[in-house]
Amino acid sequence: MIRKASFMVVGALLGATAMSVIYSAGVPAQAASNSTYKELAIFGDVFERVRAQYVTPPDEKKLVEAAINGMLASLDPHSSYMNAEEAADMQTETKGEFGGIGIEVTMEDEMVKVITPIDDTPGARAGILAGDLISEINGQPVRGMQLSDAVEKMRGPVNTPIKLTILRKGADKPIELSVTREIIPIRAVKSRVEGDVGYLRIIKFSEKTYDDLEAAIKKIKTDVPADKLKGYVLDLRLNPGGLLDQAIYVSDAFLQKGEIVSTRSRDPEDTRRFNATAGDLTDGKPLIVLVNGGSASASEIVAGALQDLKRATVVGTRSFGKGSVQTIIPMGDKGALRLTTALYYTPSGKSIQGTGIHPDVVVEQPLPPELQGKVRAEGESSLRGHIQGQSETEEGSGSFAYVPPETKDDVQLNYALDLLRGTKTDPSFPPDPAKAVVENMKKK
């Protein structure tokens, strides 16, 4: 089993941009031509004219950032410049923890509603309850704020206090609480037992994903005797991606051997291949992977590897189709350049860029009436300026990204459970590892 090491990061924030990849301070490049430097001189002249003569004094820093992002936007949707704040936010996402109080929230009636306090966090210990409405944060009314702004105000440096005003049903007056922030781990894997089946949902591929997955499988084994356990469902729906090394670890958790993924840049000598090692955490139990239009990048690596190597049957609808790799290059003042530098390929040598993962069993999830006609299926192929995939067709990639909140309404999950229990059958389940689809080419 592969253990801790740092490779790359891949991912996609659906319909927009991607997460990141290799951290590298210096990247060699060929010198630009004389004509290029002349164009850069023109840019300098334009900048000076704008700075000196625009009708109102412009923010020079924003001007430069906009120019940089304009250049990168001409490449593909996943290349961009991150200022110091954006780079720090990205590191928080990939690290899998942040300074906060530990509550899951949503917006209701222009106030922050607590969905649930996370066990053993400052919020839970302070007595915050599910259903509480937060009306003020540090004395500032929440009304008029976006949810993201309110969440940002509740996050902050560890060991710093935050004052909350809470409206609680049944309380005769607002409740004032002072809560001290702590390090809050972001849960990467949610799991449960569905009778005789282990259910594993990977929310994102952060630094904690493999450890969370290992712990979840161990608990399921404890809860259900081996002779009663029919198998596992690995739910990758709505998973936008994340760290490449974690995608490799997760794939390897279910594999005994075989190539998991390869990455290839414009220089053939830079091709990298990552292989599985012996040790299946599930002891070879049957496995079904769920995907939909919200499954992107790192989640597509896992689904593609387990599908090609015939370790799992993939059920659902076509995935997002982001098959590119971004390199993170630190820049001055703690900003960073996120640059697309390679494409990744499944064990069969297939790029899913612009095509996505095709399920072995297509199972459509009906949209509820309130969403019908209001959402559309989107994928990498619908993004303006995306890199054309080698196998991309007019059919494109992606599908509806919707998962019902209740298991009883989840057609895709229930289909997977029926396959594992034998109440439904399909030629693709169980898959035969002897028929694994692997690339027939010289390894580089």
Side-chain angles (χ1 to χ4, degrees):
M1 186 66 60
I2 296 175
R3 294 307 183 206
K4 304 291 178 175
S6 184
F7 295 125
M8 306 180 185
V9 182
V10 303
L13 302 179
L14 299 188
T17 184
M19 292 177 70
S20 0
V21 191
I22 302 173
Y23 287 84
S24 172
V27 177
Q30 294 179 344
S33 65
N34 288 335
S35 61
T36 300
Y37 284 116
K38 288 180 181 179
E39 294 294 329
L40 288 173
I42 294 174
F43 168 78
D45 291 342
V46 171
F47 176 81
E48 284 301 321
R49 289 286 184 180
V50 172
R51 186 187 66 80
Q53 298 180 4
Y54 187 65
V55 62
T56 57
D59 185 320
E60 295 178 14
K61 184 177 180 181
K62 287 184 177 179
L63 280 180
V64 173
E65 285 187 11
I68 293 172
N69 274 314
M71 173 179 64
L72 295 170
S74 71
L75 301 176
D76 74 291
H78 306 299
S79 294
S80 64
Y81 173 76
M82 296 178 287
N83 59 33
E85 182 178 351
E86 292 166 337
D89 287 344
M90 185 209 68
Q91 289 179 333
T92 296
E93 288 292 317
T94 58
K95 188 175 179 59
E97 60 185 28
F98 61 90
I101 61 175
I103 55 176
E104 295 182 8
V105 297
T106 187
M107 212 73 178
E108 184 176 292
D109 297 331
E110 294 188 89
M111 287 186 283
V112 175
K113 181 178 181 179
V114 178
I115 299 173
T116 182
I118 301 171
D119 290 342
D120 196 29
T121 62
R125 292 193 294 270
I128 296 175
L129 302 178
D132 283 350
L133 295 174
I134 299 175
S135 61
E136 294 183 9
I137 301 173
N138 286 332
Q140 183 177 353
V142 170
R143 291 185 188 278
M145 287 188 192
Q146 297 291 327
L147 179 60
S148 58
D149 295 331
V151 169
E152 188 64 27
K153 287 184 178 298
M154 288 188 283
R155 291 184 178 184
V158 175
N159 296 325
T160 59
I162 178 174
K163 293 182 179 180
L164 302 176
T165 301
I166 291 174
L167 306 181
R168 180 175 296 164
K169 187 176 182 179
D172 57 2
K173 63 180 180 179
I175 299 169
E176 305 284 344
L177 292 177
S178 180
V179 188
T180 301
R181 298 180 180 96
E182 296 178 2
I183 289 293
I184 307 298
I186 303 173
R187 195 173 177 186
V189 178
K190 292 186 177 181
S191 65
R192 63 178 185 266
V193 171
E194 289 284 347
D196 51 3
V197 174
Y199 174 81
L200 304 160
R201 180 190 168 208
I202 298 182
I203 302 166
K204 63 178 63 180
F205 289 86
S206 69
E207 292 179 7
K208 298 179 178 296
T209 301
Y210 176 80
D211 288 343
D212 285 0
L213 178 69
E214 186 177 36
I217 293 173
K218 184 177 180 180
K219 186 176 188 306
I220 289 171
K221 285 183 174 181
T222 300
D223 293 343
V224 184
D227 61 336
K228 303 292 184 184
L229 188 62
K230 299 291 187 184
Y232 294 84
V233 173
L234 181 64
D235 194 346
L236 299 177
R237 295 173 299 175
L238 305 183
N239 184 313
L243 294 163
L244 174 57
D245 60 353
Q246 293 293 320
I248 294 168
Y249 301 151
V250 168
S251 301
D252 195 17
F254 302 98
L255 294 169
Q256 294 281 8
K257 61 180 180 179
E259 181 178 297
I260 294 172
V261 67
S262 63
T263 62
R264 307 175 197 178
S265 67
R266 72 184 190 186
D267 183 353
E269 297 301 317
D270 288 340
T271 296
R272 303 181 69 190
R273 298 182 183 276
F274 303 93
N275 298 307
T277 56
D280 181 343
L281 294 183
T282 64
D283 303 317
K285 287 286 186 179
L287 178 66
I288 291 178
V289 175
L290 297 180
V291 298
N292 66 7
S295 308
S297 207
S299 55
E300 293 176 292
I301 288 175
V302 175
L306 297 178
Q307 182 183 55
D308 281 1
L309 297 176
K310 301 299 181 184
R311 175 60 185 91
T313 297
V314 178
V315 172
T317 55
R318 192 191 308 222
S319 64
F320 189 80
K322 181 187 175 295
S324 61
V325 179
Q326 282 66 50
T327 295
I328 296 300
I329 305 168
M331 308 299 286
D333 295 328
K334 297 185 179 180
L337 170 63
R338 174 169 43 198
L339 187 66
T340 299
T341 55
L343 297 175
Y344 66 77
Y345 294 77
T346 68
S348 64
K350 177 179 64 178
S351 167
I352 57 87
Q353 174 68 13
T355 61
I357 297 292
H358 295 250
D360 299 302
V361 185
V362 175
V363 178
E364 300 283 349
Q365 176 65 54
L367 292 173
E370 63 269 21
L371 291 181
Q372 291 177 10
K374 297 180 181 179
V375 296
R376 62 180 182 178
E378 292 190 357
E380 177 77 10
S381 61
S382 67
L383 298 184
R384 180 180 298 178
H386 77 279
I387 296 172
Q388 188 79 13
Q390 67 177 24
S391 303
E392 186 176 340
T393 65
E394 290 185 1
E395 187 178 1
S397 63
S399 60
F400 287 114
Y402 172 72
V403 177
E406 300 293 334
T407 300
K408 64 181 178 61
D409 301 320
D410 195 335
V411 175
Q412 294 167 333
L413 173 56
N414 281 293
Y415 194 100
L417 295 175
D418 287 344
L419 279 178
L420 287 166
R421 291 167 180 156
T423 56
K424 278 189 172 66
T425 61
D426 188 273
S428 66
F429 182 80
D432 183 359
K435 297 180 180 179
V437 182
V438 294
E439 186 177 22
N440 182 24
M441 65 173 283
K442 182 180 179 181
K443 302 295 183 182
K444 295 184 179 180

